Amino acid sequence: MSDKIDEKSLLKKCEATVEPKSEKNCFISGSFQAIMNKLVKSVVMSFKSNSVKIVCLSVLGFCAGVFLTCLLITARRPDSRHGVGGLETSAEPEYEENLSSLLADVEKDIAAADAVEEAAIADASLKDLDSSIITYQTYRVKAGDMIGFIADAFDVTQDTIISVNNIRQSRLIQPGQYLKIPSMPGIIYTVKKNGETPATIAEKYKVNAEKCANANYVSLDTELKAGTSLFIPDAELDWATRQEINGDLFKKPIHARYWLSSKYGWRDSPFNAGKRTFHGGIDMAIASGTPVYAALDGSVSATGYNATYGNYVIITHHSGYKTLYGHLSSINCRKGNFVYTNTMIGRVGSTGMSTGPHLHFTVYKNGKTINPLVVLN
């Protein structure tokens, strides 16, 4: 009886000791399986993403490219067993005759190749000749057209259209106006003195002399008379001329907001009622004491006072230009000073013949007044 009790107690002890271990093992195996499931799911999800697909496809494409390249190289590799060839005849060849016919064929091929090459050279020279011949077409200006847009459409420069059509103010082209458009970029040049040649003119503009001569059907050393007009391929207008035509040569001498109280040209005199007088500049009305600046870089050629302009400054610029600034309350420069567009030369006033504070601004071109509004930026 005691033995049976001991066996039962022993079995219970064994079960007590085994059951926790099995539960622990089950827990560990379950955790491992859960971790593995998560890893598998993450790998699957990553393969489903676009970036991984792109990488995989790129690797596969690269491998396929390498394989095909190796295949092509192997296919093109010469086999020594196939390295044979030459003339085949049914009987033993007569070497001398065959050699003669072979040489004759070679000479024919050489002659044919020479003929093709000569034809190509002749064709190229003809093209070069054609490229140096000027042709013109006509274009009618449309609403909204600008010279820059027209030039781009015909693959020429703005200078080309301005020069060929003798445009003096590019802002004033009108719809319906006809323009001549040459087949190549360049400008019209008028010979200044007797004895100039296409070679010397081309050197002046840094362009191809032969192209210049061919475009005008003259030789390089042809001496030209003063007043003769030539088309200079690839030449450009000088900076001052371009800025003048585009109305961007001068900056406004007053950098603040002003009122244009009197324009250039004929007007009713503010001092003699009922009398028409010519106004040689523009009047820019603004508060007294406002700074006045040089409209273009240049040298102060005169300062002083007179009954008409009161305190005035005259500046000499390049290309025959001069500017006058009148009715100043004070002068801040001296004769001989070199001034820039950011140099204050005086202040607005009402000295001389004036009805109130303003700046009188005149532009001279080769001694004659021009409308400042057409050259002011």
Side-chain angles (χ1 to χ4, degrees):
M1 193 72 181
S2 61
D3 293 337
K4 289 182 179 180
I5 293 171
D6 293 337
E7 286 178 3
K8 289 181 180 180
S9 62
L10 181 63
L11 286 172
K12 287 181 179 179
K13 287 181 180 178
C14 289
E15 287 176 359
T17 54
V18 169
E19 284 177 3
K21 287 184 179 177
S22 61
E23 288 177 3
K24 187 176 183 180
N25 289 336
C26 291
F27 175 74
I28 292 171
S29 61
S31 300
F32 178 75
Q33 189 173 1
I35 292 170
M36 290 301 295
N37 288 336
K38 286 183 179 180
L39 286 173
V40 170
K41 286 182 180 180
S42 64
V43 171
V44 171
M45 290 299 294
S46 65
F47 271 102
K48 287 182 178 181
S49 65
N50 289 333
S51 59
V52 174
K53 285 182 181 178
I54 292 170
V55 171
C56 293
L57 289 174
S58 300
V59 172
L60 289 174
F62 175 76
C63 295
V66 171
F67 176 75
L68 289 174
T69 303
C70 294
L71 192 64
L72 288 172
I73 292 172
T74 305
R76 291 193 171 194
R77 184 177 297 163
D79 193 341
S80 60
R81 293 174 298 175
H82 297 130
V84 296
L87 179 65
E88 293 183 11
T89 59
S90 57
E92 186 177 352
E94 297 178 3
Y95 293 105
E96 195 170 314
E97 292 181 2
N98 283 307
L99 182 61
S100 299
S101 62
L102 181 62
L103 291 175
D105 291 339
V106 171
E107 288 176 358
K108 287 180 183 178
D109 292 340
I110 292 173
D114 289 343
V116 171
E117 185 176 358
E118 289 176 2
I121 292 171
D123 185 52
S125 62
L126 184 61
K127 286 181 179 178
D128 290 340
L129 183 62
D130 289 342
S131 65
S132 64
I133 296 174
I134 305 174
T135 57
Y136 289 89
Q137 55 184 311
T138 303
Y139 176 78
R140 189 175 185 181
V141 178
K142 300 174 184 176
D145 272 346
M146 297 179 66
I147 289 180
F149 298 155
I150 300 171
D152 290 342
F154 289 95
D155 197 23
V156 295
T157 63
Q158 295 186 48
D159 291 358
T160 303
I161 296 177
I162 289 170
S163 178
V164 169
N165 295 278
N166 196 28
I167 296 173
R168 304 316 306 165
Q169 297 177 31
S170 62
R171 296 176 180 175
L172 299 183
I173 60 170
Q174 300 293 325
Q177 178 181 349
Y178 286 94
L179 299 176
K180 287 194 304 181
I181 313 292
S183 56
M184 65 178 74
I187 64 171
I188 300 295
Y189 172 77
T190 302
V191 177
K192 301 293 189 298
K193 58 182 180 180
N194 294 333
E196 289 187 71
T197 66
T200 59
I201 296 169
E203 183 180 0
K204 176 182 178 181
Y205 285 97
K206 308 298 182 186
V207 296
N208 187 297
E210 291 184 1
K211 192 174 181 180
C212 178
N214 292 336
N216 295 280
Y217 301 97
V218 293
S219 65
L220 284 172
D221 299 325
T222 300
E223 294 188 355
L224 305 168
K225 293 182 179 180
T228 304
S229 294
L230 298 179
F231 184 87
I232 314 300
D234 303 320
E236 297 179 345
L237 297 171
D238 63 89
W239 175 84
T241 302
R242 186 187 301 116
Q243 294 294 94
E244 176 187 350
I245 292 170
N246 289 335
D248 296 326
L249 183 59
F250 291 92
K251 290 188 176 181
K252 294 175 182 178
I254 292 179
H255 296 176
R257 298 187 68 176
Y258 61 88
W259 176 48
L260 186 64
S261 55
S262 184
K263 296 181 180 180
Y264 175 87
W266 291 98
R267 69 177 183 181
D268 294 330
S269 173
F271 307 105
N272 297 305
K275 188 176 182 180
R276 296 278 291 172
T277 56
F278 188 85
H279 188 223
I282 59 173
D283 290 340
M284 308 165 81
I286 196 169
S288 183
T290 302
V292 176
Y293 300 88
L296 185 66
D297 297 352
S299 178
V300 177
S301 53
T303 63
Y305 178 92
N306 68 25
T308 302
Y309 295 117
N311 294 320
Y312 68 89
V313 173
I314 297 176
I315 301 175
T316 299
H317 313 282
H318 59 73
S319 305
Y321 284 101
K322 286 186 178 182
T323 50
L324 180 146
Y325 311 78
H327 309 302
L328 302 175
S329 61
S330 63
I331 297 173
N332 292 60
C333 59
R334 295 181 180 179
K335 181 179 179 180
N337 289 159
F338 192 89
V339 293
Y340 302 90
T341 53
N342 60 353
T343 303
M344 188 179 75
I345 59 172
R347 293 184 180 276
V348 171
S350 186
T351 56
M353 293 182 64
S354 171
T355 60
H358 73 282
L359 171 70
H360 173 91
F361 179 62
T362 300
V363 177
Y364 299 91
K365 171 70 172 177
N366 296 324
K368 295 181 179 180
T369 62
I370 63 172
N371 187 351
L373 295 179
V374 303
V375 292
L376 275 179
N377 185 346

